[in-house]
Amino acid sequence: MAGTPARETQSMIAQPIAAWLTGEDREVAWRGDHTLMLSTLRRQVLSLSQTLRRQPGTQWALCFDDSYRFCVALLATWYAEKTPVIPGHCRAAQLNEMGDALDGVISDLPLDIHLPLQRWQDDEAEGELPALPADAALVLFTSGSTGAPRRVVKSLAVLEQESRWLAALWGERLTDCRILASVSHQHLYGLTFRIILPMALGQPFAAQQLFYSEQLVEQLRHPDYRHTLISSPAFLRRLDDHFPVAACTLIVSAGGALAWQDAQHTQQTMHCPVSEIYGSTETGVIAWRQRDSDAAAWICFPDVRLQQIDDDRWQVSSALIENAAGWQLDDRLQVDAAGHVQITGRHDRIVKIEDKRISLSEIERRLMALPGVVDAAALAITRHDRQGIGVVLALATPLDDHQLAAQKKRWKQHLQPLLESVALPRYWRVVATIPVTTQSKRAWPQIEELFHVAG
């Protein structure tokens, strides 16, 4: 079962990655008032690729704050016949934990790690680039349902196919656009939409990520440019309607559920409806919708197939999934006869908080490693329309209130370098035993009741 998205305008041609660095000189990115040119990008890719060729090993993690430098490192790693690894974060403690899967790290950040570190340099070299390896690919790590990061491989062919689908969907709306983004390139959504897509279409992208409405307003002050905003529901939710924001040609949101009231507010503020993308690291893009009503249905991209495998489970297959068997979705879906899709919930232990994919299983695994903890359960708690992580712990030795307060402080210090800030527990409960059902499974209703009182 599949839907066919309406072609909004005549499509643009997405260049293959091997052609990104060819052609006449042009602006590829900008950083503040500084324009970054294709000729410089080409020389820096050549220089870094030559440096990497002299390094042992093949698996090199990219950890960058700056998207232009990330793009240089991504291309240089491929041209050096290495494999770029995108860990999804830039935390030193977790990079060290991934040591068996990495041969080194390339970064523009001051990382204190045990792995070989290639620090960013603005070096350039003259000469011809070699051909890209036919089997070039990249590796991403994403939160798995078991709590351990899941390794996902993406070939160049898949990345190029995805950019062609997006170019076909939005066509001339992307023509002559400058690409702004409030999401990180360290995840597939940001990588695809703020690096791969603009490079494939020859459109300049912002080297710096947007965090605040004021930054967006400053970027949109230029009347000579058209702009596309690659965003998340969290950024759109915080848009300040007191700022004079100019219109965008296209606004894309992904990474979490966008509330209808936030979609309306965004359209009123920026004079452009929000287009949403549904997909995952494992599947790439699956479907899209223009959020012009609360119940707007998702429409699958061409060649995406959804198959119901039991009463409550769906499997997706497409050219973006290299496993011929497809991928079993963790989302609960309703699909009508026309192929229109509604998302009604999730099956797994992954939650979205501030549009970040948080593994409750990983949090529990980290909690179980804390001194004195014999059992742990984590769940998402909503208070005052804001979600945070709540945890329930069973301890080897009972603690009085004073001891527990001191221990919580030590636990938080231990967890801070290991978890993203939104994954750090906000609400804590300590019990003699964590409630279970008669089948010895977690009794989640009783666990949730522990948070009905303040604490």
Side-chain angles (χ1 to χ4, degrees):
M1 186 179 296
T4 302
R7 301 297 176 92
E8 296 190 0
T9 53
Q10 181 180 355
S11 64
M12 298 177 66
I13 297 174
Q15 287 188 320
I17 292 171
W20 284 6
L21 300 181
T22 63
E24 296 181 359
D25 205 14
R26 61 174 178 83
E27 180 186 15
V28 292
W30 75 96
R31 185 187 301 116
D33 295 327
H34 183 50
T35 299
L36 300 159
M37 302 299 292
L38 177 63
S39 55
T40 303
L41 176 70
R42 187 185 297 118
R43 292 192 297 269
Q44 290 182 335
V45 168
L46 179 59
S47 176
L48 183 54
S49 68
Q50 291 172 344
T51 299
L52 291 175
R53 278 181 178 274
R54 296 191 291 268
Q55 303 299 321
T58 60
Q59 308 289 309
W60 283 78
L62 311 185
C63 295
F64 281 82
D65 180 58
D66 185 281
S67 291
Y68 168 82
R69 293 169 181 166
F70 174 91
C71 184
V72 172
L74 177 68
L75 291 168
T77 310
W78 278 327
Y79 278 109
E81 299 187 1
K82 311 284 188 182
T83 300
V85 178
I86 304 172
H89 62 83
C90 295
R91 295 186 298 279
Q94 284 198 295
L95 288 170
N96 285 329
E97 282 187 351
M98 295 172 63
D100 291 343
L102 299 175
D103 296 301
V105 177
I106 315 167
S107 182
D108 62 352
L109 299 167
L111 295 175
D112 181 14
I113 57 176
H114 306 320
L115 291 157
L117 176 61
Q118 178 65 47
R119 298 188 182 277
W120 170 262
Q121 303 288 336
D122 285 316
D123 294 342
E124 301 178 19
E126 298 287 349
E128 295 296 323
L129 283 163
L132 278 172
D135 61 348
L138 58 79
V139 174
L140 300 107
F141 281 90
T142 185
S143 300
S145 58
T146 64
R150 179 186 289 141
R151 185 177 185 268
V152 180
V153 178
K154 296 282 179 180
S155 69
L156 261 62
V158 161
L159 297 173
E160 291 170 352
Q161 179 71 282
E162 193 166 34
S163 67
R164 286 194 292 269
W165 286 9
L166 298 171
L169 171 63
W170 286 313
E172 290 180 357
R173 289 182 68 179
L174 288 163
T175 301
D176 298 327
C177 270
R178 288 158 71 87
I179 311 299
L180 304 167
S182 69
V183 295
S184 170
H185 53 242
Q186 296 285 154
H187 300 275
L188 183 62
Y189 171 45
L191 169 68
T192 298
F193 283 79
R194 68 178 294 189
I195 304 292
I196 303 290
L197 184 60
M199 288 296 293
L201 297 179
Q203 311 293 11
F205 61 88
Q208 295 166 306
Q209 183 177 340
L210 300 174
F211 295 97
Y212 308 107
S213 295
E214 296 91 331
Q215 295 171 306
L216 176 60
V217 171
E218 185 61 32
Q219 292 288 350
L220 296 178
R221 289 190 191 281
H222 302 285
D224 297 333
Y225 300 126
R226 289 155 49 94
H227 291 92
T228 289
L229 174 63
I230 307 304
S231 189
S232 66
F235 185 84
L236 299 180
R237 188 181 310 128
R238 295 191 293 264
L239 274 182
D240 191 332
D241 53 12
H242 292 97
F243 288 102
V245 177
C248 272
T249 302
L250 176 66
I251 301 171
V252 183
S253 177
L258 178 66
W260 171 231
Q261 64 189 35
D262 297 328
Q264 290 177 299
H265 177 237
T266 300
Q267 181 166 358
Q268 292 164 0
T269 303
M270 303 188 67
H271 315 293
C272 179
V274 180
S275 294
E276 290 184 273
I277 289 290
Y278 169 50
S280 70
T281 303
E282 295 84 1
T283 65
V285 298
I286 296 173
W288 74 285
R289 66 178 177 177
Q290 182 165 296
R291 197 64 183 284
D292 47 18
S293 70
D294 188 7
W298 297 93
I299 303 171
C300 289
F301 282 86
D303 301 324
V304 168
R305 295 291 180 269
L306 292 174
Q307 179 183 3
Q308 193 166 11
I309 54 179
D310 61 32
D311 289 343
D312 205 24
R313 285 282 185 179
W314 289 83
Q315 186 116 334
V316 61
S317 58
S318 81
L320 305 184
I321 304 173
E322 299 188 48
N323 178 2
W327 186 262
Q328 184 171 298
L329 296 173
D330 292 320
D331 294 301
R332 301 175 190 270
L333 305 180
Q334 290 181 349
V335 185
D336 67 19
H340 297 155
V341 179
Q342 297 288 349
I343 303 168
T344 60
R346 288 185 69 81
H347 292 284
D348 64 9
R349 298 273 291 142
I350 303 293
V351 296
K352 290 286 185 72
I353 296 182
E354 285 294 305
D355 308 318
K356 290 186 179 291
R357 196 180 188 210
I358 304 300
S359 168
L360 297 175
S361 298
E362 180 187 3
I363 295 171
E364 290 170 352
R365 183 166 60 88
R366 300 293 186 185
L367 292 168
M368 290 290 291
L370 296 174
V373 174
V374 296
D375 199 5
L379 66 164
I381 300 294
T382 301
R383 286 188 177 172
H384 309 296
D385 296 324
R386 184 179 179 185
Q387 274 196 319
I389 296 297
V391 297
V392 180
L393 305 180
L395 306 182
T397 304
L399 302 175
D400 62 33
D401 290 345
H402 178 75
Q403 292 171 321
L404 183 59
Q407 187 63 281
K408 277 186 188 178
K409 186 175 181 179
R410 289 191 288 269
W411 286 336
K412 290 176 182 178
Q413 290 172 342
H414 180 85
L415 293 172
Q416 197 162 15
L418 301 173
L419 297 173
E420 296 201 56
S421 58
V422 294
L424 291 169
R426 292 173 57 86
Y427 312 107
W428 299 72
R429 296 291 185 271
V430 174
V431 295
T433 57
I434 295 178
V436 296
T437 67
T438 54
Q439 292 81 31
S440 297
K441 296 181 179 180
R442 295 282 194 229
W444 290 111
Q446 290 93 324
I447 292 171
E448 290 174 3
E449 287 176 5
L450 297 171
F451 296 89
H452 291 175
V453 296

